[in-house]
């Protein structure tokens, strides 16, 4: 501290207290207040804050009220540019002491308000670390602001609210203070969160029910505080949502109360626990307030702002309606919402909507969509059904299920009407299944089929596809067809015979098949996923209609089988693309089960078109999600005597047969289930040959008679039973293309039924032991016999498997020996050929060897002749004299090639071509041949 500052401090202390203290507390310089008259610029007056605190704490009558107020005014004047963080705790101590005096001394309201006003200015820090060092002091100071809201002073409360609002609109210092910096703009906001100011502000709102101005200021503060997730959590703990919502309908000429309250509720829903907010708002008081506010805005709101606010209230209501426990019906809100949703389509005499009309402005258009949406949510409560009937909701929604009329003047634009049409159809999918009688009375089936027929026609009408429901429908009618089929699927799967019979009588089966064929004929487009969904829904609807009805399966006929086969021929690579091909294939397999099986003509046509081959091709893809369904279809198809030939004739990759494929699937399934097998696939546990790892983990326990045991559930939970059924219908004999490993596995499959029966009897025995029951002698003997028989079957199968494995090993050895013998013979033949070639070379290069070979040859010839010549026998000379060759020669010599120079070209065009070969022996001779008439030559030498 400079000498001038020290002198000023001493003088000020002497003037205030009449004496100078030695060892007095530290003094604080004034920031931003310059000495008047432009003198001593940059030098600030100090302020002893501890003395002011002590002065305010003294209750001595000698200390005048005026003196206290003067010191506080000096404090305010000194810190008019902001409070340093290091002094904040003392300043708020002074503020707290002033607040305590307000009740008896109202004159302290103004200085307290002025101090709070200065808190709205940016705080100052001397060091960078001050923000961390004084975090606790700052947070406690802000918590005090919330406590001060309890003081019954309107001016003080308003000033506190203004101060907090200023935290969120920080402005830079107007004057630079040497040695000090402004704290970061987010520092105060963080300290508000740490100090828990939001919770205190919510609690203070309870004290302001009749003070509109203060209430509006508190709501403004809460509006700013609710932009933080931490503050929203604190506000929720203080029940802010229910407290604010309950007062939505309080009188307010300015309209700010409703606006700010709705904004706070929005922020709470977005930034805190949505479930907890819904729970707070799901009470009768809040819903009644929301209902009255919405009705007033719906009926009397005309401005753009009021319509927006009306829609915001409806969205909040929609979120609350998701809670089944919300008393929407009890407060009458549901009835009013249904009335507002349908009054435009169904004329009502209710005075609320008698003279009401919606316009094609954006807010009214959004309102209509929100009302459709909330009907879907409300109909989840079955108690709403009667209100939906009274409000004629089905009739109102069906007014949109029709071809758009171009010449008719409507209140919506083309794009708006299209979006509302799609939204209405989507809403019908949720509402119509609950109101079947109303659906039929409105001729719902007829309307839907007529609209579907329009969707299938190609005309000049194309939708815009701008909305959520119109996705993928730009330039076509896919969106309308997609949502109409969803509606039809929802009605068909109710399994209501009245609805389904009426649909079939109206020709829905043939119409759906034609729709599918139309989709098949269209080229692949960008909306491929939408097209696949349409095809899937079409097949599911057909399945729902045809299941258990032979006449409808006959109507499905060959045309339906053709579309099924078309889908089954899809490239398997498409199943990995994720565009809906898996769903389409599931729908196709379901349609085979429901629409083809049981109708002999359709089955025969399916077999004729190689449908079984396609099923096995899909099964060979080894995708577990399809295996169970395909095997179930195969089991049913094998009842047809023509199926076995098709199954046995099928061949997959690497000449894989159907039997081998099924056995491989069995092995894979057992590996996944953890069944014990040795490396050759042989049974390990003959007592429990089918036990899975899950069954081993489960302990035996007594079960009621109507509850299936683990062994029984195992039949339905994997595909082993279906594989057994298919192979059983193929008779387990003459199965082509099986390896030794397949035969080993086939032994187990063949005895699957016996093993499963033994497994169930073992469970019965275990349950009897657990329940400590004692069987009669005959029953006990029978039980032991059954269990022993099952174990013997297991041993027999294991023995047969061992024999097969040994035979296969022996066969492998024999095959190996045959291969080695073949290799050996090949080598020996090569050696003989080499030796023969060496002999040939020796005779060619050595005359002595040649002579020796010739003598041996002549000797061999002589030895082969008769010793005595028969009478009258003709002797033929076997050796041609005069030959100079080195190899034995006969009368016929094979010429491998004839030089071209001797022939002069192709044989047919030369004079020396042999037209006729002599059949006499000896040398070549000339043969005269008559030449053609146009040939001048007389003879051809031969």
């Amino acid at each position: 501290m400079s000498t001038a500052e020290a002198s000023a401090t001493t003088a000020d202390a002497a003037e205030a207290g009449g004496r100078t203290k030695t060892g007095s507390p530290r003094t604080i310089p004034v920031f931003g207040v310059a000495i008047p008259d432009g003198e001593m610029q940059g030098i600030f007056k100090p302020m002893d804050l501890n003395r002011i605190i002590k002065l305010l704490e003294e209750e001595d009558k000698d200390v005048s009220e005026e003196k206290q107020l003067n010191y506080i005014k000096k404090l305010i004047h000194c810190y008019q540019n902001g409070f340093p963080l290091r002094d904040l705790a003392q300043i708020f101590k002074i503020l707290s002491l002033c607040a305590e005096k307000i009740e008896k001394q109202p004159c302290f309201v103004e200085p307290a308000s002025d101090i709070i006003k200065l808190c709205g200015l940016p705080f100052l820090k001397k060091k960078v670390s001050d923000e961390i060092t004084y975090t606790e002091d700052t947070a406690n100071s802000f918590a005090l602001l919330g406590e001060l809201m309890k003081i019954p002073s309107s001016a003080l409360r308003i000033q506190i609210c203004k101060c907090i609002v200023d935290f969120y609109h920080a402005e830079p210092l107007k004057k630079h203070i040497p040695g000090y910096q402004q704290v970061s703009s987010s520092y105060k906001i963080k300290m508000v969160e740490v100090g828990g100011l939001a919770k205190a502000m919510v609690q203070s709102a309870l004290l302001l029910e009749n003070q509109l101005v203060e209430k509006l200021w508190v709501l403004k503060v809460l509006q700013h505080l609710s932009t933080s997730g931490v503050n929203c959590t604190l506000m929720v703990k203080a029940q802010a949502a229910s407290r604010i919502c309950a007062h939505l309908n309080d009188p307010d000429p300015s309209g700010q109360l409703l606006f700010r309250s709705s904004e706070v509720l929005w922020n709470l829903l977005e930034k805190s626990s949505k479930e907890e907010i819904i729970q707070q708002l799901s009470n009768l008081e809040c819903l009644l307030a929301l209902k009255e506010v919405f009705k007033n805005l719906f009926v009397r709101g005309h401005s753009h702002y009021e319509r927006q606010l009306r829609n915001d209230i409806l969205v909040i209501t929609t979120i609350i309606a998701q809670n089944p426990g919300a008393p929407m019906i009890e407060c009458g809100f549901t009835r009013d919402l249904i009335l507002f949703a349908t009054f435009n389509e169904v004329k009502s005499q209710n005075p609320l909507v008698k003279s009401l009309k919606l316009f094609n402005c954006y807010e009214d258009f959004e309102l209509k969509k929100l009302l459709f949406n909330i009907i879907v949510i409300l109909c989840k409560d079955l108690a709403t059904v009667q209100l939906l009937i009274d409000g004629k909701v089905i009739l109102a929604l069906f007014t949109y299920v029709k071809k758009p009329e171009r010449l008719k003047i409507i209140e919506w634009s083309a794009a708006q009407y299209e979006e509302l049409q799609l939204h209405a159809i989507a809403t019908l999918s949720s509402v119509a299944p609950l109101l079947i009688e109303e659906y039929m009375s409105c001729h719902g089936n007829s309307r839907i089929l007529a609209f579907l027929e329009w969707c299938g026609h190609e005309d000049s009408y194309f939708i815009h596809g701008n909305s959520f429901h119109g996705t993928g429908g730009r330039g076509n009618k896919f969106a309308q067809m997609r949502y109409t089929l969803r509606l039809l699927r929802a009605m068909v799967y109710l399994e209501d015979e009245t609805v389904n019979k009426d649909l079939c009588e109206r020709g829905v089966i043939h119409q759906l098949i034609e729709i599918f064929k139309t989709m098949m004929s269209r080229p692949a487009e960008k909306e491929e996923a939408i097209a696949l969904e349409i095809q899937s829904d079409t097949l599911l609807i057909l399945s729902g209609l045809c299941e258990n009805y032979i006449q409808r399966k006959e109507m499905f006929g060959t045309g339906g089988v053709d579309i099924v086969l078309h889908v089954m021929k899809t490239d398997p690579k498409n199943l990995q693309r994720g565009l809906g091909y898996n769903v389409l294939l599931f729908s196709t397999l379901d349609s085979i089960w429901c629409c083809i099986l049981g109708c002999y003509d359709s089955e025969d046509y399916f077999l004729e078109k190689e449908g079984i081959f396609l099923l096995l091709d899909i099964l060979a893809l080894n995708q577990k999600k399809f295996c169970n369904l395909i095997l179930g279809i195969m089991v049913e198809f094998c009842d047809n005597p023509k199926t076995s030939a098709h199954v046995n004739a099928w061949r997959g990759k690497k000449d894989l047969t159907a039997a081998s494929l099924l056995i491989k699937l069995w092995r894979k399934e057992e590996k996944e289930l953890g069944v014990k097998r040795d490396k050759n696939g042989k049974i390990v546990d003959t007592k429990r040959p089918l036990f899975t790892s899950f069954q081993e983990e489960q302990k035996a326990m007594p079960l009621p008679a109507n509850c299936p045991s683990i062994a029984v559930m195992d039949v339905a939970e994997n595909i082993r039973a279906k594989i057994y059924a298919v192979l059983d219908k193929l008779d387990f004999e003459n199965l082509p293309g099986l390896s030794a490993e397949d035969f080993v596995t086939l032994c187990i499959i063949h005895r699957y039924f016996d093993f499963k029966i033994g497994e169930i009897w073992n469970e019965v025995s275990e349950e009897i032991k657990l329940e400590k029951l004692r069987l009669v002698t005959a029953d006990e003997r029978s039980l032991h016999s059954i269990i022993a028989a099952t174990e013997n079957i297991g041993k027999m199968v294991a023995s047969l498997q061992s024999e097969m494995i040994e035979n296969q090993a022996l066969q492998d050895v024999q095959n190996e020996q045959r291969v080695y013998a073949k290799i050996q013979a090949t080598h020996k033949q090569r050696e003989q050929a080499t030796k023969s070639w060496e002999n040939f070379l020796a005779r060619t290069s050595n005359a002595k060897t040649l002579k020796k070979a010739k003598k041996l040859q002549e000797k061999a010839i002589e030895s082969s002749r008769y010793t005595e010549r028969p009478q009258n026998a003709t002797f033929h000379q076997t050796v041609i004299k005069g030959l100079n060759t080195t190899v034995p020669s006969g009368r016929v010599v094979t010429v491998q090639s004839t030089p071209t120079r001797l022939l002069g070209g192709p044989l047919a065009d030369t004079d020396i071509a042999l037209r006729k070969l002599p059949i006499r022996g000896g040398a070549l001779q000339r043969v005269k041949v008559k030449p053609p008439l146009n040939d001048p030559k007389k003879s051809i030498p031969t």
Side-chain angles (χ1 to χ4, degrees):
M1 184 183 294
S2 65
T3 307
E5 287 176 333
S7 302
T9 304
T10 306
D12 186 66
E15 179 182 354
R19 66 184 185 276
T20 303
K21 290 185 178 181
T22 58
S24 61
R26 67 178 180 84
T27 55
I28 307 301
V30 179
F31 300 95
V33 182
I35 304 296
D37 301 325
E39 297 178 1
M40 300 178 68
Q41 294 295 330
I43 299 176
F44 302 92
K45 293 182 179 180
M47 180 62 66
D48 188 353
L49 298 178
N50 287 332
R51 180 167 186 174
I52 298 174
I53 293 171
K54 187 174 181 180
L55 188 65
L56 291 171
E57 288 177 342
E58 289 180 358
E59 298 181 358
D60 192 354
K61 295 181 179 179
D62 295 337
V63 180
S64 64
E65 179 182 297
E66 184 178 356
K67 187 176 182 180
Q68 293 173 336
L69 292 174
N70 285 335
Y71 268 92
I72 295 173
K73 287 179 181 178
K74 287 182 180 181
L75 170 70
I76 294 167
H77 183 69
C78 289
Y79 292 103
Q80 61 181 337
N81 284 326
F83 295 129
L85 289 176
R86 61 186 300 176
D87 299 330
L88 208 56
Q90 293 172 302
I91 290 169
F92 270 84
K93 177 65 175 176
I94 294 170
L95 178 61
S96 176
L97 292 171
C98 291
E100 293 174 0
K101 296 177 178 293
I102 288 175
E103 186 176 356
K104 296 180 180 179
Q105 298 171 287
C107 58
F108 278 92
V109 171
E110 184 178 354
S113 299
D114 290 339
I115 294 174
I116 293 171
K117 184 177 180 180
L118 292 177
C119 291
L121 297 175
F123 291 159
L124 303 171
K125 61 181 179 181
K126 197 164 188 178
K127 299 178 181 178
V128 176
S129 60
D130 282 357
E131 290 186 8
I132 300 173
T133 305
Y134 299 104
T135 295
E136 186 177 356
D137 291 345
T138 309
N140 293 336
S141 301
F142 285 170
L144 180 61
L145 289 178
E147 295 297 321
L148 294 179
M149 288 295 294
K150 298 177 182 178
I151 298 174
S153 170
S154 176
L156 187 65
R157 287 169 173 170
I158 292 174
Q159 189 56 59
I160 292 171
C161 293
K162 287 181 179 180
C163 173
I164 297 171
V165 171
D166 288 340
F167 292 171
Y168 292 84
H169 304 282
E171 296 181 359
L173 288 171
K174 296 180 180 179
K175 189 172 182 180
H176 177 67
I177 310 299
Y180 286 86
Q181 295 178 347
Q182 179 180 339
V183 297
S184 60
S185 57
S186 61
Y187 180 72
K188 285 186 176 181
I189 299 174
K190 290 179 181 177
M191 292 301 103
V192 166
E193 296 174 356
V194 176
L197 181 59
K199 185 175 181 180
M201 294 304 294
V202 172
Q203 293 170 345
S204 67
L206 294 174
L207 308 173
L208 309 173
E209 292 186 2
N210 299 320
Q211 288 90 13
L212 179 61
V213 178
E214 291 95 318
K215 187 189 297 185
L216 292 177
W217 272 107
V218 170
L219 285 173
K220 187 174 182 179
V221 170
L222 292 176
Q223 186 180 352
H224 284 80
L225 292 175
S226 61
T227 57
S228 161
V230 177
N231 288 335
C232 285
T233 303
L234 294 172
M235 291 167 67
V236 169
K237 291 180 180 178
Q239 302 292 313
S242 58
R243 290 176 178 180
I244 292 172
C245 187
H247 296 281
L248 280 177
N249 207 30
D250 288 357
D252 174 28
S254 66
Q256 292 186 43
L257 187 144
L258 182 57
F259 167 71
R260 298 194 186 283
S261 298
S262 63
E263 186 72 19
V264 173
L265 291 175
W266 263 113
N267 290 339
L268 290 174
L269 286 167
E270 288 180 353
K271 300 182 183 298
S272 61
S273 173
K274 189 175 181 180
E275 292 75 18
E276 194 168 349
I277 297 295
I278 293 174
Q279 199 63 37
Q280 288 186 20
L281 297 176
S282 298
N283 59 71
L284 200 59
E285 185 180 10
C286 292
L287 287 173
L288 283 171
L290 284 168
K291 171 191 169 185
E292 293 304 319
V293 168
F294 181 74
K295 280 171 58 177
N296 290 334
L297 290 171
F298 195 97
V299 177
R300 300 182 182 88
H302 301 291
S303 67
H304 174 74
Y305 158 75
E306 289 173 327
R307 287 173 176 169
Q308 279 188 332
L309 192 56
R310 172 199 64 191
N311 292 352
D312 289 344
I313 296 297
L314 183 55
V315 173
I316 294 172
T317 305
T318 303
I319 295 172
I320 299 171
Q322 295 174 3
N323 180 16
M328 294 289 293
I329 298 175
E330 291 81 348
C331 69
F333 206 172
T334 299
R335 184 181 294 276
D336 288 346
L337 289 170
I338 292 172
L339 174 66
F340 292 142
T342 59
F343 81 94
N344 220 29
E345 293 78 22
V346 180
K347 299 304 176 184
S348 173
Q349 299 301 319
N350 193 304
L352 274 176
V353 296
K354 195 170 184 179
S355 58
L356 197 61
K357 187 178 180 181
L358 297 179
F359 299 93
N360 64 352
C361 63
Y362 178 76
E363 289 76 21
D364 284 356
F365 173 62
E366 287 295 318
L367 171 69
K368 194 69 178 176
K369 293 195 295 181
L370 288 170
L371 288 169
F372 283 165
N373 184 56
I374 200 170
I375 285 177
V376 174
I377 295 172
L378 292 173
C379 73
K380 294 178 181 178
D381 184 0
L382 295 180
T384 313
V385 171
Q386 188 58 46
L387 297 177
L388 295 172
I389 296 172
D390 296 341
K392 299 180 180 179
V393 173
I394 294 291
L395 181 60
L397 293 173
F398 263 123
T399 58
Y400 292 93
V401 187
K402 62 183 180 180
K403 175 183 176 181
E405 300 177 17
R406 295 178 180 278
L407 301 178
K408 185 178 179 181
I409 300 175
I410 56 176
E411 60 269 21
W412 308 111
S413 66
Q416 288 175 335
Y417 182 81
E418 166 202 311
E419 189 169 349
L420 289 176
Q421 182 185 61
L422 294 172
H423 209 140
I425 298 172
T427 305
L428 271 172
S429 300
S430 299
V431 178
L434 301 174
L435 309 172
I436 298 176
E437 292 183 5
E438 284 65 32
Y439 171 85
M440 295 301 294
S441 64
C442 293
H443 306 287
N445 288 338
S446 178
R447 290 173 185 255
I448 290 173
L449 295 182
F451 191 68
L452 265 180
E453 185 177 0
W454 172 77
C455 292
H457 289 164
E458 294 185 5
D459 52 28
S460 57
Y461 177 83
F462 295 109
I463 69 172
H464 299 78
N466 296 325
S467 63
F468 167 77
H469 293 92
T471 302
R474 188 172 184 82
N476 53 53
K477 300 174 187 174
F478 280 5
Q480 279 91 341
M481 185 180 290
R482 176 191 188 187
Y483 282 96
T484 307
L485 286 172
R486 284 187 184 180
L487 169 58
L488 190 58
R489 186 186 68 189
M491 298 308 300
V492 167
Y493 272 80
L494 290 173
E495 298 182 359
D496 186 273
E497 185 55 27
T498 305
V499 175
N500 291 354
K501 184 178 179 181
D502 182 62
L503 281 170
C504 293
E505 289 175 353
R506 295 180 184 277
V508 67
I509 293 177
H510 292 297
Q511 186 174 348
L512 290 173
I513 291 173
E514 290 303 318
I515 288 174
F516 197 100
K517 289 181 178 179
T518 303
M519 298 301 298
M520 283 165 41
S521 62
R522 295 192 180 187
E525 301 175 0
K526 294 181 181 178
E527 297 80 16
E528 187 178 4
I530 307 298
L532 291 172
E533 182 183 341
I534 290 172
Q535 294 176 14
S536 300
D537 284 342
T538 303
L539 290 173
L540 288 173
I541 294 167
L542 289 168
S543 300
L545 289 170
C546 296
E547 189 175 13
N548 303 323
Y549 290 93
I550 299 297
Q551 291 181 348
R552 296 175 188 174
K553 292 181 180 182
E554 291 174 352
M555 293 170 66
F556 185 78
T558 58
V561 175
D562 286 335
I563 63 175
V564 168
L565 293 171
H566 173 80
V567 177
M568 294 175 67
K569 292 176 182 177
T570 304
D571 187 354
K573 294 179 181 178
N574 289 333
L575 298 175
Q576 311 298 331
R577 293 174 60 189
L579 288 175
Y581 281 98
N582 286 292
V583 178
L584 178 58
L585 187 53
F586 272 119
S587 304
T588 305
L589 296 174
D590 187 55
S591 64
I592 295 173
W593 186 281
C594 299
C595 304
I596 297 176
L597 286 171
C599 179
Y600 299 127
D601 292 339
S602 297
E603 285 186 10
D604 291 345
Y605 186 74
F606 184 82
L607 292 171
E608 181 184 340
K609 293 294 182 179
E610 299 181 349
I612 288 294
F613 289 180
L614 296 174
L615 276 175
L616 290 169
D617 287 340
I618 299 172
L619 188 63
L621 296 176
N622 205 11
Q623 295 197 16
K624 191 174 179 62
K625 53 192 172 186
F626 299 124
C627 288
N628 205 348
L629 188 53
I630 293 174
L631 287 170
I633 294 170
M634 292 286 295
V635 171
E636 296 297 325
F637 252 114
C638 285
D639 289 335
N640 190 320
K642 299 178 183 178
T643 304
S644 299
H646 288 262
V647 174
N648 290 328
W650 177 83
R651 292 295 181 272
K653 293 181 179 180
K654 298 181 180 179
D655 206 30
L656 180 69
T657 63
S660 181
L661 172 63
L662 293 173
I663 293 171
K664 285 181 179 178
L665 289 174
W666 175 284
R667 284 199 293 267
K668 181 183 177 184
E669 185 76 6
E670 287 199 331
K671 186 177 180 181
E672 292 176 356
L673 293 173
V675 181
K676 291 181 179 179
R677 298 283 184 264
D678 67 3
K679 62 180 181 178
N680 296 315
K682 199 176 74 170
I683 292 175
V684 174
D685 187 354
T686 56
K687 293 183 178 179
R688 300 180 298 180
L690 298 178
F691 245 48
T692 65
S693 58
F694 175 76
Q695 288 176 279
E696 290 181 352
E697 293 171 1
Q698 299 298 315
K699 294 181 179 179
M701 62 180 67
L703 296 172
N706 60 348
C707 182
S709 66
I710 298 174
V712 176
M713 290 298 295
D714 175 73
V715 175
E717 289 176 351
N718 57 69
I719 61 175
R720 291 189 294 178
K722 292 185 176 66
I723 294 174
Y724 165 76
V726 174
L727 291 175
D728 182 58
K729 292 185 178 183
L730 295 176
D731 294 333
F732 286 105
E733 295 180 2
N734 301 322
L735 298 176
L738 298 185
S739 63
E741 185 183 11
D742 292 338
F743 279 111
V744 169
T745 307
L746 190 63
C747 292
I748 302 173
I749 301 174
H750 191 209
R751 290 292 185 172
Y752 173 79
F753 190 67
D754 296 328
F755 290 150
K756 184 56 66 174
I757 290 175
E759 196 175 299
I760 292 171
W761 279 110
N762 275 320
E763 284 186 340
V764 172
S765 176
E766 292 293 330
E767 289 184 18
I768 290 172
K769 291 178 182 177
L770 289 171
E771 293 179 1
K772 298 180 180 179
L773 299 177
R774 184 177 179 183
L775 298 176
V776 297
T777 306
D779 289 345
E780 186 176 3
R781 191 183 301 115
S782 299
L783 181 60
H784 288 317
S785 299
I786 293 170
I787 294 173
T790 304
E791 187 176 352
N792 290 335
I793 292 173
K795 291 178 180 178
M796 180 187 69
V797 172
S799 174
L800 182 60
Q801 287 178 319
S802 299
E803 185 179 348
M804 285 182 175
I805 293 169
E806 290 174 2
N807 291 338
Q808 181 61 33
L810 181 61
Q811 183 68 32
D812 292 341
V813 171
Q814 291 175 353
N815 291 339
E816 186 178 357
Q817 288 176 351
R818 280 195 292 269
V819 171
Y820 283 136
K822 187 176 180 180
I823 293 171
Q824 189 176 6
T826 302
H827 282 289
K828 187 174 182 180
Q829 188 175 4
R830 288 177 181 174
E831 289 174 1
Q832 290 177 351
T834 304
K835 187 175 181 180
S836 176
W837 175 250
E838 290 174 354
N839 291 335
F840 174 75
L841 289 178
R843 293 196 305 272
T844 304
S845 58
N846 193 333
K848 291 181 179 180
T849 305
L850 177 61
K851 290 177 180 179
K852 186 177 180 181
K854 189 172 183 180
K855 287 180 181 180
L856 288 173
Q857 182 183 21
E858 290 174 351
K859 185 176 181 181
I861 292 171
E862 287 297 330
S863 63
S864 65
R865 290 176 178 173
Y866 289 105
T867 55
E868 296 181 0
R869 184 177 302 173
Q871 295 180 358
N872 300 325
T874 303
F875 176 75
H876 296 279
Q877 188 70 26
T878 58
V879 178
I880 302 172
K881 296 180 179 180
L883 289 180
N884 295 320
T885 59
T886 58
V887 293
S889 302
R891 293 181 177 274
V892 180
V893 177
T894 302
V895 179
Q896 294 183 351
S897 64
T898 304
T900 305
R901 58 187 176 78
L902 298 177
L903 299 176
L907 293 175
D909 298 331
T910 60
D911 294 337
I912 63 172
L914 299 177
R915 298 294 181 90
K916 187 177 180 180
L917 293 175
I919 59 174
R920 296 188 297 271
L924 293 175
Q925 300 177 2
R926 286 185 178 273
V927 178
K928 291 184 180 181
V929 179
K930 292 182 180 180
L933 295 176
N934 57 352
D935 194 348
K937 298 181 180 179
K938 300 297 181 180
S939 63
I940 299 175
T942 58

